[in-house]
Amino acid sequence: MRLIRGIVVLVITLTITFYLLEKNQLEPNEAIESNSHMLPQKKPYLNEKSVPENVIAKDKYKGKLFHWVGTSTKELEQELGEPKRKDPSSYGYTWWVYTNNKSQYIQFGILDDKVQTIYATGNDIPIEPLTVGAKYDAVKEQLEFSKEITYSKGISSYTFLLDDEDLQMRPLVKLSDNLFLQVYFDTFTNRLSSVRIMTGDILLTQRPYGLKYRGTLPTPSNLSDEEWEKVEYGMARQIFDITNVIRHSFNKRTLAWEEQVSEVAFSHSKDMAENNYFSHYSLNNEGLKERLEAGDVYYFAAGENIAAQYVDAPAAVEGWLNSKGHREALLHDEYTHLGVGVYRLYYTQNFLTRPF
């Protein structure tokens, strides 16, 4: 899967305009997909009853988050109450989003009224013996990092292949036969940034790493335009929430949502997707300055992050956090507002400095 990233920063002070473009194009993370012996199509993966129940080492992984997967929505509501939002995803499950004063963020992926995956970041996340903010080496002592992780499903076998960058930024750990943990690191501080827990089926549906397999692969969801609109809006709000939680952890001010700027950001994401390009400049060579002017947006300073082909919103934000230029925009001291626009798997953040 290609990881494509870019950043533009625009600063306007009085009558003097400074415009800086920095685009960071990283080498693609080549996915290896081979099918040595194609087997007949099996029943839909997420409904197959032959998968064993999740069993993890409770004496080691004591944090409650590790034991939420497989629980019912009724139990989730009894424990945490109603979620802030319910955002559909492009993978068949619905994200139930919980936030706590910009200091804690958890979203639970719900399918068939059960928790199937979890993404969490911020303070006091119950993932003992781990803690968000722990040093890389301390986490590595608790977990076993490997370049190859295998998920077996009946007579099918799937091996995820991690490169050196994956091992530094987002190692994958097998907790049980059907439960996996992604640990995201901030490679600038070498500290744990967030975690994602998921079943083997969810991991196989997303396929965030290189893959070699024997068997069949899940068929991607075929969403209507109306369904995509709901997914895209949910991802935009997730990016906004996660950005503010990350900024809070670095003692930066909370950004305000800016709907008008979000429309500008969405238009750029859509233009890139539909016209098959990836740049801060559109095909008519207009950049962020021109887009904001066309949107009649008032500001003192502005900046832009773009990304494409990340599996979802949390993955895109973690990618920006680990890229120098994007990180600077994400954590900029002077920004006050943020607009986010997502179209399919193209993501745009537009930051502004303006008086409240």
Side-chain angles (χ1 to χ4, degrees):
M1 178 176 293
R2 279 181 193 277
L3 305 183
I4 316 175
R5 307 176 173 101
I7 181 171
V8 63
V9 177
L10 172 68
V11 179
I12 297 181
T13 306
L14 299 178
T15 61
I16 303 175
T17 301
F18 299 90
Y19 194 57
L20 171 65
L21 173 67
E22 176 184 343
K23 180 178 178 182
N24 298 321
Q25 180 88 30
L26 300 185
E27 291 298 318
N29 176 19
E30 296 295 343
I32 302 173
E33 296 194 356
S34 61
N35 197 346
S36 55
H37 299 287
M38 182 63 73
L39 300 178
Q41 181 67 42
K42 301 179 71 179
K43 295 179 181 179
Y45 286 89
L46 294 177
N47 295 324
E48 190 161 353
K49 297 181 179 180
S50 61
V51 178
E53 294 294 323
N54 295 329
V55 179
I56 65 175
K58 294 188 177 182
D59 57 333
K60 181 176 182 180
Y61 301 106
K62 298 178 180 179
K64 190 164 188 176
L65 209 68
F66 293 113
H67 305 281
W68 273 110
V69 174
T71 59
S72 68
T73 53
K74 182 178 180 181
E75 293 174 89
L76 188 61
E77 285 184 295
Q78 287 176 342
E79 181 76 16
L80 301 179
E82 281 289 322
K84 176 183 178 181
R85 291 192 317 275
K86 294 181 181 180
D87 299 334
S89 77
S90 62
Y91 299 104
Y93 51 82
T94 298
W95 286 118
W96 286 27
V97 178
Y98 292 85
T99 63
N100 181 18
N101 297 324
K102 307 301 180 185
S103 64
Q104 185 188 81
Y105 180 91
I106 307 176
Q107 54 185 60
F108 297 84
I110 306 298
L111 182 66
D112 297 331
D113 289 324
K114 289 187 177 182
V115 177
Q116 302 285 349
T117 181
I118 305 167
Y119 170 83
T121 188
N123 298 333
D124 302 321
I125 302 297
I127 51 172
E128 295 84 3
L130 311 178
T131 57
V132 171
K135 279 287 191 179
Y136 181 94
D137 289 342
V139 176
K140 190 175 181 181
E141 286 182 7
Q142 296 286 345
L143 306 174
E144 295 181 8
F145 295 165
S146 173
K147 285 194 170 185
E148 296 190 6
I149 303 291
T150 298
Y151 169 48
S152 297
K153 188 177 180 69
I155 60 174
S156 299
S157 178
Y158 308 88
T159 300
F160 296 93
L161 308 175
L162 284 68
D163 60 23
D164 290 339
E165 183 182 81
D166 292 328
L167 288 177
Q168 286 301 123
M169 177 181 166
R170 48 179 192 157
L172 180 67
V173 178
K174 188 173 185 177
L175 300 178
S176 71
D177 289 342
N178 189 35
L179 198 64
F180 297 82
L181 168 69
Q182 273 184 306
V183 280
Y184 287 99
F185 287 96
D186 177 343
T187 57
F188 287 80
T189 63
N190 285 321
R191 292 184 180 276
L192 183 63
S193 171
S194 64
V195 296
R196 190 192 297 255
I197 306 168
M198 71 199 96
T199 64
D201 288 324
I202 297 296
L203 178 63
L204 189 59
T205 300
Q206 291 187 347
R207 299 197 289 277
Y209 305 98
L211 175 68
K212 63 181 181 181
Y213 67 97
R214 184 184 68 250
T216 57
L217 293 174
T219 303
S221 300
N222 186 19
L223 304 182
S224 66
D225 289 343
E226 183 178 353
E227 289 171 328
W228 264 116
E229 287 180 7
K230 295 176 181 179
V231 171
E232 291 157 358
Y233 182 75
M235 288 197 288
R237 297 301 306 202
Q238 292 161 27
I239 287 173
F240 175 77
D241 288 338
I242 296 169
T243 296
N244 271 327
V245 171
I246 290 174
R247 286 178 63 87
H248 181 273
S249 70
F250 284 91
N251 298 314
K252 308 295 182 181
R253 79 171 78 194
T254 297
L255 302 178
W257 176 264
E258 176 49 70
E259 187 64 33
Q260 190 176 7
V261 179
S262 295
E263 293 174 3
V264 173
F266 173 80
S267 294
H268 188 54
S269 291
K270 184 176 181 181
D271 190 51
M272 287 191 293
E274 292 186 339
N275 292 291
N276 194 30
Y277 74 94
F278 181 78
S279 174
H280 295 288
Y281 290 95
S282 61
L283 297 182
N284 63 5
N285 207 36
E286 290 185 349
L288 176 60
K289 178 178 180 291
E290 290 77 19
R291 291 193 292 275
L292 292 175
E293 287 178 351
D296 198 26
V297 176
Y298 168 72
Y299 60 97
F300 292 137
E304 181 175 84
N305 280 347
I306 58 176
Q309 305 309 321
Y310 283 87
V311 297
D312 59 11
V317 179
E318 294 294 340
W320 284 327
L321 184 65
N322 281 283
S323 176
K324 185 177 184 297
H326 306 84
R327 179 190 185 87
E328 290 174 358
L330 203 69
L331 301 176
H332 196 286
D333 285 314
E334 302 304 320
Y335 289 143
T336 58
H337 292 71
L338 174 61
V340 184
V342 179
Y343 184 81
R344 303 307 190 256
L345 296 183
Y346 283 76
Y347 311 86
T348 301
Q349 283 183 309
N350 286 161
F351 299 89
L352 295 183
T353 300
R354 67 189 334 177
F356 281 91

